[in-house]
Amino acid sequence: MRRLALKELREHGWVLAVLFVLFALGLMVSLSRGDEEGGRFSALKDFLLTYGLVAALVAGNRLVVREYTGKTQLFLEVLPISRAAVALTKWLFGWAWVSLAGASAWAATWWWQTRTVPVPLEDALHALAPALLWLTAFWSTCFFAGLLGRYRLLFWVVCGLLVYSLNEVGQVQVMETPPFHIVSEALAVATAWQALVDVVACLVITALGLGLGLLLATAGEGSIAATLSGRMTSRERLLSFSTVLVGFLLFSALTRDRDRPAFALESVTPMASPVGPIGVLPGEGVSEASAQALVEAVAADVVSLVQVMGFPKLAGVYVVSQRGLDPDVMLRVPLGEKDGVVYRANLADERFDAISLRYRLVHSIIGDVTHNRALEEDRHWLLDGLSSWWVVRGDAEARALLRRRAAASPVGLSVESVRRWNETFEQAGDCFGIAISFTLVDALVDEVGEAALVALARRVFVKPHQDLRDVLFEEKLGALLRAQGVPFEALVARAEAARRNAGGPLGYQGAFELMSQGGGQTRVKFSLKQAGAPVTRWRGLSASTGPWQQGIGDAEASRVDARSGEAMAAATWTSGERLFLAIEVDDPTLRCSARVAQSWQVLP
């Protein structure tokens, strides 16, 4: 058996070595992102569900499938060694390979975590044991599947379809059932041993895979495995194709969308609408009069937008009041595609900004109709500007308020800032971002008129096709503006001049200081002044983000309320993390949460 193992190592060692290097590179990426997911061994969990499975599949292909289909197995059968010993050696060699890959990933993850946080050996073993059990069970399955020869692909397709059907049709949480549960969040946290049922399930699968594999390799002097390694006959191909086709048809029939009523709320303040139901659920602290005023304003925005833009009828537009949310936090409720637009906001707070909420409703409707193509950066400024302009058209007081907000913004308009609109809006924050986008579209209306603006929006914000027409023949916004006789550079210059003429900055000076806490830990100190004097009511925002993440959602950042000129972030961050930092003030003159400072920093 030792010589046979050396033979396998000489033949397949170079492939396994290359894979080992690739796995190491992939693990490095997982380790750099592991802190975002939570759990000391979350990177190991990700490794087991991706690269660990690849390791077992490649081992099965190299050690079993390649041997039988290439007929080199016939050479081994003439050697003075039993078929059972040959098969067992291959199983042990493959098991050693996948176990080495898993144990190496475990060791690297453990070392990575101990750089900043002590991890006891017992806790680390809580992650190692289930990792090896999971890889052993899957490798044993791959060993058996490899000996199925020409039926191995059919085996994997049926297994995949079965698991997916259980999850989608049977409403079984597959990742919460054995053996999958052994590599769940419990492994990532690594605070206790796995449940006995998970361990038993892995051992049973391992025994079945090994036992059935040895049976195929030895029964009939190896004739079963040798026969299965041949090519499929025409009848077998037809039977396999029919089996897979019937399986997919059954799955499609069981999972097809069924007609159901759209999402609806009871006890709302309703508004009769020709474009779909519109309502506000007032909640505690919201008077009937204010709820009625809001629903009428929302209805005016939504009905006119849908009719003018020629959008299809909406499933519904609802606003739900929720006490406890910050007044600037407005969260869209995640619903199905046919359920309409539902937002949660703290309508009872005296600092609640109705303009911002109505802007988001219009923004979401256009985004939904265009399947989010309106959010692409070359036209996103028009989407934001149209949404803000739409909700204040005909309201002189609200238009004046948006102009004051735009003038106070520390972020100005330039050709480059508009072309990099996503970055510009995130830097400005919602209050200022909505306002400066309004100045852009307001300047466009001054140039071409409201009718031309609507015609432009109808051509840009259309429901996309399900083919390449949107890529090959889509009209570009820049070309449409030139056709209207509006040079893009002149439009931006006019909007920036109007913004500056409407007022000036608020005079806030915000700063962020990274303070080392030892052991690779860092805290952030926020500070804010106005005209050289400390500000006493403001808040600091902080969040750890992915390497390529742009922007922060309303609910992502942690907040610290300050009652003096300085404040410390509640969270502690580790070396190498990428942080989003911002300072916002509820300014009484602007009646919104103004972002007066913002920064992205990578901790040393």
Side-chain angles (χ1 to χ4, degrees):
M1 292 181 68
R2 183 178 63 85
R3 291 184 177 181
L4 186 58
L6 291 175
K7 171 259 182 190
E8 302 292 358
L9 183 61
R10 285 194 299 269
E11 184 177 358
H12 310 296
W14 69 274
V15 175
L16 304 183
V18 171
L19 280 178
F20 199 86
V21 173
L22 295 177
F23 291 167
L25 295 175
L27 181 62
M28 289 172 60
V29 176
S30 297
L31 288 172
S32 66
R33 298 174 50 195
D35 293 334
E36 303 169 20
E37 300 181 14
R40 295 173 292 183
F41 288 90
S42 59
L44 175 62
K45 184 196 74 171
D46 294 341
F47 179 91
L48 296 174
L49 292 173
T50 52
Y51 304 113
L53 303 187
V54 172
L57 288 169
V58 171
N61 181 266
R62 298 288 302 185
L63 296 172
V64 181
V65 177
R66 190 169 178 268
E67 198 82 71
Y68 276 91
T69 57
K71 304 302 180 183
T72 54
Q73 180 67 19
L74 298 176
F75 168 76
L76 298 177
E77 292 179 355
V78 302
L79 297 178
I81 182 173
S82 67
R83 290 183 176 84
V86 172
L88 187 59
T89 301
K90 287 181 176 293
W91 189 94
L92 290 172
F93 186 88
W95 175 80
W97 152 241
V98 297
S99 297
L100 175 64
S104 300
W106 166 80
T109 307
W110 186 21
W111 168 81
W112 181 271
Q113 290 299 321
T114 54
R115 296 181 313 123
T116 55
V117 180
V119 181
L121 174 61
E122 183 180 0
D123 286 359
L125 292 177
H126 290 158
L128 176 62
L132 294 182
L133 282 170
W134 164 257
L135 288 176
T136 302
F138 191 74
W139 156 242
S140 201
T141 305
C142 291
F143 177 75
F144 165 68
L147 288 166
L148 290 176
R150 57 180 177 265
Y151 294 113
R152 66 187 182 279
L153 295 180
L154 181 62
F155 170 79
W156 288 120
V157 169
V158 171
C159 287
L161 196 59
L162 176 62
V163 170
Y164 194 63
S165 299
L166 287 173
N167 194 72
E168 295 296 321
V169 181
Q171 300 299 308
V172 176
Q173 298 296 321
V174 173
M175 292 304 297
E176 298 299 323
T177 59
F180 301 96
H181 185 254
I182 204 167
V183 285
S184 65
E185 294 301 323
L187 181 146
V189 177
T191 56
W193 296 109
Q194 298 292 319
L196 179 62
V197 64
D198 295 332
V199 175
V200 171
C202 287
L203 292 177
V204 168
I205 292 174
T206 300
L208 282 175
L210 176 59
L212 292 174
L214 291 176
L215 179 64
L216 289 175
T218 58
E221 298 185 348
S223 60
I224 296 179
T227 302
L228 292 175
S229 65
R231 292 180 177 274
M232 279 190 175
T233 64
S234 300
R235 181 177 298 177
E236 289 174 325
R237 291 194 190 98
L238 182 60
L239 179 61
S240 299
F241 177 77
S242 301
T243 302
V244 174
L245 181 61
V246 169
F248 275 107
L249 289 175
L250 287 174
F251 178 76
S252 177
L254 291 172
T255 58
R256 71 179 186 273
D257 293 334
R258 293 174 172 83
D259 293 333
R260 59 176 178 81
F263 177 85
L265 286 172
E266 297 181 358
S267 304
V268 297
T269 301
M271 185 70 188
S273 163
V275 301
I278 299 172
V280 173
L281 186 62
E284 182 184 354
V286 181
S287 67
E288 184 177 343
S290 59
Q292 187 64 39
L294 179 60
V295 76
E296 288 177 359
V298 170
D301 298 334
V302 172
V303 173
S304 58
L305 175 77
V306 171
Q307 291 179 338
V308 168
M309 295 290 290
F311 289 162
K313 189 174 181 179
L314 304 177
V317 177
Y318 297 101
V319 178
V320 179
S321 180
Q322 180 175 329
R323 298 292 294 268
L325 289 177
D326 286 317
D328 63 316
V329 173
M330 300 167 191
L331 302 176
R332 183 170 182 181
V333 179
L335 296 172
E337 183 180 352
K338 299 179 180 180
D339 289 319
V341 178
V342 181
Y343 267 90
R344 295 185 288 126
N346 191 352
L347 308 184
D349 195 294
E350 60 181 10
R351 296 169 295 169
F352 167 69
D353 182 15
I355 292 177
S356 180
L357 175 64
R358 293 162 58 193
Y359 155 86
R360 290 167 189 257
L361 292 171
V362 172
H363 190 283
S364 297
I365 291 170
I366 298 176
D368 290 351
V369 171
T370 61
H371 295 177
N372 288 331
R373 287 186 65 82
L375 276 65
E376 294 186 9
E377 198 161 27
D378 65 329
R379 69 205 71 177
H380 201 169
W381 69 266
L382 180 62
L383 171 62
D384 289 339
L386 177 66
S387 302
S388 54
W389 180 86
W390 196 266
V391 302
V392 300
R393 71 197 191 289
D395 187 340
E397 181 180 352
R399 293 166 66 88
L401 178 61
L402 285 189
R403 291 193 178 101
R404 289 200 303 273
R405 291 178 180 178
S409 170
V411 179
L413 293 171
S414 65
V415 172
E416 183 62 20
S417 69
V418 177
R419 284 177 177 159
R420 300 169 63 90
W421 182 253
N422 293 343
E423 180 181 325
T424 300
F425 193 96
E426 174 252 296
Q427 184 179 359
D430 286 345
C431 176
F432 290 143
I434 292 171
I436 61 176
S437 66
F438 164 78
T439 60
L440 269 170
V441 171
D442 198 41
L444 180 59
V445 171
D446 289 341
E447 287 280 349
V448 300
E450 294 186 13
L453 170 67
V454 171
L456 175 68
R458 286 174 62 97
R459 297 178 67 177
V460 175
F461 303 133
V462 296
K463 185 175 181 178
H465 305 91
Q466 301 299 320
D467 50 43
L468 292 176
R469 281 177 288 178
D470 298 311
V471 177
L472 300 176
F473 307 112
E474 186 177 55
E475 295 181 292
K476 300 300 181 182
L477 179 55
L480 292 174
L481 286 174
R482 287 192 296 272
Q484 296 258 7
V486 182
F488 181 66
E489 295 78 5
L491 173 64
V492 175
R494 176 168 182 163
E496 175 63 8
R499 186 188 74 86
R500 291 180 177 274
N501 291 335
L506 299 174
Y508 290 102
Q509 299 91 37
F512 312 99
E513 182 180 354
L514 303 180
M515 304 185 67
S516 175
Q517 304 294 298
Q521 303 295 302
T522 301
R523 291 189 71 184
V524 178
K525 182 170 76 173
F526 303 93
S527 60
L528 183 65
K529 297 180 179 179
Q530 186 179 33
V535 180
T536 58
R537 292 186 66 87
W538 50 280
R539 61 178 166 269
L541 310 179
S542 58
S544 177
T545 68
W548 298 283
Q549 181 175 341
Q550 291 185 349
I552 291 292
D554 284 338
E556 289 184 69
S558 61
R559 301 176 176 225
V560 54
D561 292 320
R563 295 297 179 262
S564 65
E566 296 181 347
M568 296 292 294
T572 300
W573 314 105
T574 58
S575 176
E577 288 194 82
R578 180 173 178 261
L579 298 185
F580 165 84
L581 304 171
I583 294 174
E584 292 185 349
V585 178
D586 290 327
D587 189 86
T589 61
L590 302 181
R591 305 203 298 257
C592 69
S593 297
R595 182 167 296 174
V596 295
Q598 182 264 353
S599 176
W600 290 88
Q601 299 195 24
V602 178
L603 298 184

